Amino acid sequence: MGSSAITNDFRALVGAVRDGSHPSSYDEEESSQRRRVLFVTPESADFIKVGGLGDVSAALPRAMSTDFDVRVMIPGYPQVVGAGYPLIEVGRLPALAGIPECELARIDLPDGLIVYVLVCPELFEREGSPYLAPDGRDWDDNHIRFGRLSLAAAQLAAGVGDPAWQADLLHLNDWPTALAAGYLHWWKQPAPCVFTIHNLAYQGLFPLDYHQSLGIPPEALGTDQLEFYGNLSFMKAGLVHAEQLTTVSATYAREITTEEFGCGLERLLRERAEQGRLCGIANGIDDTWDPQSDAHLLRGFGTSDWIGKRINCEHLRQMFGLAICHGPLFAVVSRLVHQKGVDLTIAAAESIVRKGGQLVVIGRGEPSIESALRNLAARFPGAIGVRVGFSEREARCIFAGSDFLLMPSRFEPCGLSQMYAQRFGSLPIAHRTGGLVDTIEDGVTGFLFDRMTVESFKAAINRAFSVYRTTDLFYAMRRAAMGIHYHWSVSSVPYAHLYRGLIDRAFPPVVRKDESKTLVNSN
Ligand SMILES: Nc1ncnc2c1ncn2[C@@H]1O[C@H](COP(=O)(O)OP(=O)(O)O[C@H]2O[C@H](CO)[C@@H](O)[C@H](O)[C@H]2O)[C@@H](O)[C@H]1O
């Protein structure tokens, strides 16, 4: 397929096309309007959260909305269409190749955030998680499902779908949204993309010949574009074609340019970094993470209110059937996947118990890790409690009730759990990697260990035991951790800078005649 064929495809796709023009070649009236940003995500804590991306997708668009007209786009999973909010019909999004047509609706959330919903029951209204079938395996048609999401985002930036709103910039998140950057590039559309890598390890790899069903032109399949060792990589569409790449901490931004953390994409990422097109912006946490006012807790508490903290601790012990104990309470709140190093926690658990500590775990993920944890709880009844599942309330009670959070991640792009734990007075014990390095000050707001070995991890746990016994130091560390504010108002500043720069470059503001005269005269 040559480039004119691509353009023809696009014409067929969008009907009356603007030939790459965009209303954001702002005239003087429009330049006073806020720039329009579409935040595209496969999950959001407003409806359904699998991990940290869900939190970011609920918080970051809100943080940006003071300066930009930010809207969110998400697939119409049962938890979205059935959330109890009215679904307002917006328009239809045309099909492309094997990607079916779908309906575009919107939900106006009570606080004013507008969410575009892809209503496509055949793709999204199923039991299971956004990414996995109930048997824990990837959905067979994930390429079409997230091709549909990516295509919808690109269509909205190309003026298709909502006659009243066209995105000036797409903010794409992880591989399920990455193909949008490709579509805009192949259709020669001017709207720029920011592509945020929340986790480079998940890349969206599919057989190369799936490109036909996704409407990807064959010339886009070279190794310098979407091919990755004989597969079609969604992730690469974002890495190659987005105008700006970001990831969620400064340390991880550096790490992914190395062989150890680059997942085979380090060369490409190095190139993009050298072009100034890759940077790290740390995540924040939202205001609901406040131990004084969190309604999930048995009792709110603040810095130095150690009785309040202890009440939450006793409550947590009861919740998990643990014995009364004066030793420290360790905790894990995690997706149960290789990345999170739960195998190290399992290996260290016996020594925690032998030293007089206890452990509570909440997590869900790989069946082998789930069953290893169940076995652990069965071996140490009254000292180790495990919940296999996902519960926001229980997670918050764990952060509030525990003394230490275990986070021996093999890699960690940013990590939110350690920030939540710190805020709730639980000191993280974490591997010195990625965002954990940027958010934990060793011996001050938590503990870091250097090597990904049980010995190195146990040495950090032993340091935690001795700090626990030195009450003044322990409380001082707790206070220091609780005092840190990872606010979105801080992280939103560099994002705003990026958004503005990219939009202004793509759609230069038109200078009014009288303004330009004033400029000339004042010189
Ligand atoms: N069983 C359970 N029940 C209740 N809550 C649970 C839970 N298991 C996990 N959670 C919650 O899910 C979130 C996990 O977020 P993280 O950022 O720590 O890791 P995750 O790997 O999912 O995110 C990826 O994306 C984020 C966002 O950019 C990066 O911070 C991170 O490094 C990257 O790996 C936290 O809010 C945690 O409390």
Side-chain angles (χ1 to χ4, degrees), residues 310-330 356-358 360 382 401 403 468:
R310 198 174 314 136
I311 289 171
N312 282 288
C313 183
E314 295 316 325
H315 176 56
L316 182 58
R317 284 199 163 96
Q318 280 167 18
M319 278 168 66
F320 280 77
L322 300 188
I324 295 167
C325 162
H326 297 294
L329 181 51
F330 294 80
Q358 294 178 324
V360 293
D403 297 304
Y468 183 79

Side-chain angles (χ1 to χ4, degrees), residues 109-120:
L109 288 174
D111 66 355
L113 184 69
I114 293 174
V115 180
Y116 284 108
V117 179
L118 306 184
V119 183
C120 192

Side-chain angles (χ1 to χ4, degrees), residues 5-130:
I6 298 169
T7 316
N8 285 341
D9 251 11
F10 177 58
R11 289 234 154 80
L13 193 65
V14 302
V17 198
R18 291 195 182 87
D19 287 331
S21 75
H22 191 285
S24 289
S25 305
Y26 281 93
D27 60 25
E28 52 194 73
E29 199 176 308
E30 276 174 319
S31 65
S32 65
Q33 292 176 350
R34 291 185 309 157
R35 307 301 212 196
R36 293 167 297 229
V37 174
L38 184 67
F39 188 95
V40 191
T41 182
E43 57 177 287
S44 162
D46 282 311
F47 307 100
I48 179 165
K49 161 175 157 183
V50 176
L53 174 55
D55 290 330
V56 174
S57 300
L60 180 55
R62 289 183 165 92
M64 301 308 295
S65 65
T66 44
D67 291 332
F68 297 86
D69 174 3
V70 185
R71 301 186 181 189
V72 173
M73 176 179 271
I74 192 168
Y77 309 119
Q79 297 84 348
V80 178
V81 293
Y85 301 110
L87 277 171
I88 305 158
E89 225 175 274
V90 174
R92 288 203 79 74
L93 295 166
L96 174 69
I99 301 176
E101 182 187 42
C102 99
E103 226 179 88
L104 185 67
R106 59 181 256 195
I107 289 176
D108 295 359
L109 288 174
D111 66 355
L113 184 69
I114 293 174
V115 180
Y116 284 108
V117 179
L118 306 184
V119 183
C120 192
E122 65 193 282
L123 296 184
F124 301 124
E125 288 181 42
R126 307 171 175 179
E127 292 292 309
S129 93

Side-chain angles (χ1 to χ4, degrees), residues 49-56 174 196-199 202 248 283 289 333-337 339-340 362-364 387-396 399 407 411-420:
K49 161 175 157 183
V50 176
L53 174 55
D55 290 330
V56 174
D174 275 351
T196 298
I197 304 161
H198 296 268
N199 195 333
Y202 301 100
V248 286
N283 289 329
W289 292 93
V333 178
S334 181
R335 293 187 300 110
L336 301 179
V337 292
Q339 171 194 350
K340 302 295 181 181
I362 186 164
R364 190 171 63 182
R387 285 263 208 288
V388 171
F390 191 97
S391 159
E392 183 74 20
R393 190 182 75 80
E394 290 184 9
R396 286 176 184 250
F399 292 127
M407 227 171 146
F411 65 92
E412 196 59 76
C414 176
L416 295 171
S417 292
Q418 83 281 9
M419 300 198 226
Y420 298 147

Side-chain angles (χ1 to χ4, degrees), residues 1-7 217-219:
M1 199 196 298
S3 67
S4 64
I6 298 169
T7 316
E219 57 270 29

Side-chain angles (χ1 to χ4, degrees), residues 221-290:
L221 296 182
T223 49
D224 57 341
Q225 295 197 54
L226 270 59
E227 184 187 337
F228 185 68
Y229 295 101
N231 282 309
L232 174 70
S233 162
F234 271 48
M235 174 71 91
K236 279 189 81 184
L239 300 186
V240 172
H241 293 302
E243 278 66 18
Q244 180 68 40
L245 310 180
T246 69
T247 186
V248 286
S249 70
T251 298
Y252 192 62
R254 279 192 300 278
E255 287 175 345
I256 56 177
T257 62
T258 66
E259 201 180 328
E260 188 182 355
F261 295 99
C263 302
L265 293 161
E266 57 276 6
R267 259 209 7 230
L268 171 57
L269 288 161
R270 248 192 328 267
E271 275 169 32
R272 305 263 18 216
E274 281 158 10
Q275 297 158 358
R277 298 291 182 178
L278 167 64
C279 65
I281 303 176
N283 289 329
I285 63 176
D286 69 50
D287 295 337
T288 66
W289 292 93
D290 180 352

